[in-house]
Amino acid sequence: MLFTSYEFFGFTAALVLLYYLLPKRCQWPLLLGASCLFYMAAGPRYILYILFTALTTWFAGVRMGRNAQNAAAFLKEHKEELSKEEKKRYKEGRKRVRRRWLVGCLVLNMGILAVVKYANFFITNLNSLLTAGGGRGLSFLNLALPLGISFYTFQAVGYLVDVYRGTVKAEENPFKFTLFVSFFPQLIQGPISRFGELGETLYGPHDFDRKQVCFGLQRMLWGYFKKLVVADRILAAVMTIIGDVETYQGAYAAVGMLFYTIQLYADFTGGIDVTIGLAQTLGISVRENFNRPYFSKSLKEYWRRWHISMCSWFRDYLFYPLSTSKAMQKFTKFTRKHLGDKVGRRLPVYVSSFVVWFSTGLWHGASWNFIVWGLLNYVVLMVSEELEPLYAGFHRRFSVEGKFWYRLFQVGRTFVLICVLNIFDCYASLGETVKAIGSVFTVHNWKVLWDGSLLALGLTGLDYGILAGGCLMMLGVSLVQRGGSVREKISAKPYWVKFAVWYGLFLAVLLMGAYGVGYDASQFIYNRF
């Protein structure tokens, strides 16, 4: 059920109506039922995947939670009888039991993700080696990718680790926990929520709040504008360029990088706007996932602003545990002894970062394109980290830090870098991607930018005009957001101004949205993850 389909509009309208008409004790069970129906719309049998993840994670979490409670009660009851050493051994024994539950559940559910999403990728690469040596290739697995498996698996894993660490209390109700894992607005493209955040508003009773409902609908409308007017319209040109790498090289490839970067932003942030807006209409708070990422002055800053929930997940549940593990501490000690203190201190960070960025690339897709994309981000970030003293010296020498023109240069430089990195998300193979990027420097056909050739990419002059207007609107909203909520600012205006803004935006979506056959919009990009 696409977020942009008539079925989804009818589904959510009926849900919101029932949500506020039924008794408040029925609100979260209604959301659970609606989430299951939403998931089954993509294929009834696939709900078994998410239910299995939810129930196994719930059970492991309960076992760990009770283990910790019983241990605390035992120690409290026998605190006078046990020596310090006995208490320590008891705690370590109880912790080992919790660790076994944690590892077992992680292996089980991450194993399902690995098999479903990456088995055929592994077989493809293995077959390349086997057939090159004259052997016979393996057969591929006929497994469909369940909807949102990367998102709900990571969300469940984050909860399980938090329970193990003791930062959240295990949820005893299996139905409530299943709702946390399957909450449908965020199921297909995030954000990846934390139980301690989402659980605060997901299960509680909610009165109808006219302002919050209106704000939620307005957020959804803005998301649909970005998706339908900008992302889906520019999609035609992107598909034309990446569909024929032999014809569309040089300047065309550069245009493709720019257009796809615009499309990705409008599509992904538009989908998140719909998610957060729909949750807000139900009185539920979902964490923000973007913070004006294209205003970043460095790639490091960009990754603090883009897909915030994913980046924080990898930081908290992979980078920190890996970089502070006992094995890494031994590695640090070894490298400092044999390679010197300076290298020894940095090398473990580089190793941990390498694992994180390799995993991030693989998380985005079972393709060498994504793996190389992740590793290129890693290389740029690590090189930038090493060159930081040179940057600081340059800033002191020429006093450019903080000046408007230099900040503009930094933003432009970072945006170009992002455009180049994003192109790895587009082409069918790594070879085509490298060829397209290389052609920008070797094929000199820049006249196509002004001789009318861009009109042959599937867009008319009117389309380009609408796109320009849509991009300017997104830029303007981002600039205004620096001073606070745009919706709050608009709500403070006279009624006729509010009506003109929101009704005008509604008409823009209705009249200027790019719709396909049967008035169906395209799928959101991140649905495939």
Side-chain angles (χ1 to χ4, degrees):
M1 189 187 303
L2 298 180
F3 272 19
T4 50
S5 66
Y6 292 136
E7 293 84 357
F8 180 77
F9 296 147
F11 175 78
T12 52
L15 172 63
V16 173
L17 183 63
L18 286 173
Y19 188 77
Y20 288 112
L21 288 178
L22 291 176
K24 292 183 179 61
R25 66 178 182 276
C26 299
Q27 287 180 332
W28 76 259
L30 174 66
L31 289 181
L32 176 59
S35 297
C36 291
L37 286 174
F38 178 88
Y39 202 86
M40 288 192 292
R45 68 184 184 275
Y46 296 130
I47 197 172
L48 296 176
Y49 284 93
I50 193 170
L51 289 179
F52 181 82
T53 295
L55 294 178
T56 54
T57 305
W58 165 79
F59 185 73
V62 168
R63 297 299 299 179
M64 287 193 297
R66 291 178 182 175
N67 176 288
Q69 290 175 356
N70 293 338
F74 178 85
L75 290 171
K76 183 178 181 181
E77 183 179 353
H78 299 86
K79 64 180 180 179
E80 302 297 336
E81 307 169 19
L82 299 175
S83 66
K84 185 177 181 180
E85 188 62 29
E86 288 174 328
K87 290 178 182 178
K88 182 179 179 180
R89 284 199 303 269
Y90 179 80
K91 288 180 180 179
E92 290 176 347
R94 294 294 85 196
K95 189 173 184 179
R96 280 196 297 269
V97 173
R98 294 195 297 274
R99 189 182 298 116
R100 285 197 288 268
W101 279 108
L102 171 69
V103 173
C105 193
L106 291 183
V107 169
L108 184 63
N109 286 291
M110 294 299 281
I112 293 173
L113 174 63
V115 170
V116 171
K117 190 170 181 179
Y118 304 108
N120 285 338
F121 174 65
F122 175 78
I123 292 173
T124 298
N125 289 278
L126 183 59
N127 283 347
S128 298
L129 298 176
L130 294 175
T131 55
R136 183 180 178 183
L138 302 176
S139 300
F140 291 101
L141 300 181
N142 187 24
L143 296 174
L145 190 64
L147 181 69
I149 186 171
S150 294
F151 287 102
Y152 73 69
T153 301
F154 271 35
Q155 190 154 303
V157 166
Y159 160 82
L160 199 64
V161 175
D162 286 344
V163 171
Y164 173 77
R165 292 172 174 171
T167 55
V168 299
K169 185 179 179 181
E171 174 55 61
E172 294 281 342
N173 189 321
F175 298 102
K176 284 187 175 182
F177 182 74
T178 301
L179 173 58
F180 165 73
V181 174
S182 64
F183 184 48
F184 77 93
Q186 62 172 35
L187 185 61
I188 56 177
Q189 57 190 350
I192 304 171
S193 294
R194 308 289 178 94
F195 186 78
E197 297 172 348
L198 183 60
E200 291 182 359
T201 57
L202 185 59
Y203 309 121
H206 299 287
D207 292 314
F208 179 83
D209 186 322
R210 182 177 177 275
K211 179 180 179 181
Q212 292 304 312
V213 171
C214 287
F215 272 22
L217 294 175
Q218 291 164 5
R219 182 78 180 257
M220 292 177 69
L221 183 60
W222 177 236
Y224 282 122
F225 174 85
K226 289 194 282 188
K227 165 64 174 171
L228 297 174
V229 177
V230 179
D232 283 3
R233 184 173 302 280
I234 207 169
L235 173 64
V238 173
M239 295 304 295
T240 300
I241 292 171
I242 68 174
D244 188 354
V245 69
E246 297 296 334
T247 300
Y248 297 104
Q249 299 186 31
Y252 286 114
V255 169
M257 295 178 193
L258 172 63
F259 281 8
Y260 179 70
T261 299
I262 295 172
Q263 180 202 350
L264 181 62
Y265 174 83
D267 188 286
F268 195 11
T269 63
I272 294 297
D273 286 334
V274 173
T275 292
I276 296 176
L278 176 55
Q280 189 173 11
T281 65
L282 301 170
I284 298 168
S285 298
V286 174
R287 67 187 310 187
E288 293 290 342
N289 213 26
F290 296 93
N291 181 21
R292 300 181 296 280
Y294 289 169
F295 285 93
S296 302
K297 297 186 288 295
S298 67
L299 190 63
K300 183 178 181 180
E301 182 183 352
Y302 171 78
W303 283 113
R304 290 199 301 263
R305 293 167 170 256
W306 176 274
H307 208 339
I308 298 169
S309 63
M310 181 202 70
C311 296
S312 63
W313 192 98
F314 277 106
R315 179 195 66 209
D316 295 342
Y317 301 115
L318 185 55
F319 178 80
Y320 286 154
L322 181 60
S323 61
T324 59
S325 64
K326 290 183 178 179
M328 191 60 69
Q329 290 174 6
K330 292 180 180 178
F331 179 62
T332 302
K333 187 176 181 180
F334 175 84
T335 53
R336 293 178 73 173
K337 180 179 178 181
H338 293 85
L339 300 176
D341 189 65
K342 184 177 181 181
V343 175
R345 282 187 292 106
R346 293 172 182 256
L347 201 56
V349 175
Y350 293 160
V351 172
S352 300
S353 298
F354 177 87
V355 173
V356 166
W357 281 105
F358 180 87
S359 302
T360 302
L362 200 58
W363 179 86
H364 277 82
S367 164
W368 283 108
N369 271 27
F370 288 113
I371 293 174
V372 171
W373 167 85
L375 295 181
L376 284 175
N377 275 278
Y378 165 76
V379 169
V380 173
L381 288 169
M382 292 302 99
V383 169
S384 298
E385 190 74 21
E386 286 298 317
L387 296 179
E388 189 63 38
L390 292 179
Y391 297 150
F394 174 82
H395 295 156
R396 288 193 301 269
R397 174 68 177 81
F398 296 100
S399 302
V400 296
E401 186 67 22
K403 291 187 177 180
F404 175 76
W405 68 266
Y406 186 69
R407 285 188 283 118
L408 196 62
F409 162 75
Q410 290 177 303
V411 170
R413 175 196 60 191
T414 304
F415 182 76
V416 170
L417 177 60
I418 292 166
C419 288
V420 175
L421 292 173
N422 281 344
I423 205 65
F424 283 87
D425 190 12
C426 293
Y427 288 97
S429 68
L430 183 59
E432 288 187 356
T433 306
V434 173
K435 184 175 183 179
I437 295 174
S439 72
V440 175
F441 304 98
T442 59
V443 178
H444 305 291
N445 58 346
W446 298 101
K447 66 178 181 179
V448 302
L449 298 179
W450 58 80
D451 68 359
S453 298
L454 297 185
L455 294 174
L457 298 178
L459 299 178
T460 65
L462 178 60
D463 288 324
Y464 282 109
I466 293 174
L467 283 173
C471 290
L472 287 174
M473 283 187 63
M474 291 191 298
L475 175 62
V477 168
S478 294
L479 290 172
V480 173
Q481 277 181 333
R482 295 187 300 178
S485 169
V486 176
R487 287 172 294 171
E488 289 284 1
K489 294 178 185 294
I490 295 175
S491 68
K493 301 296 182 182
Y495 177 80
W496 68 269
V497 175
K498 293 185 287 188
F499 177 82
V501 169
W502 297 118
Y503 186 64
L505 190 62
F506 172 77
L507 288 180
V509 174
L510 191 65
L511 300 178
M512 299 183 205
Y515 304 98
V517 177
Y519 298 98
D520 284 331
S522 69
Q523 182 68 281
F524 282 90
I525 291 174
Y526 263 70
N527 282 26
R528 60 184 166 175
F529 304 136

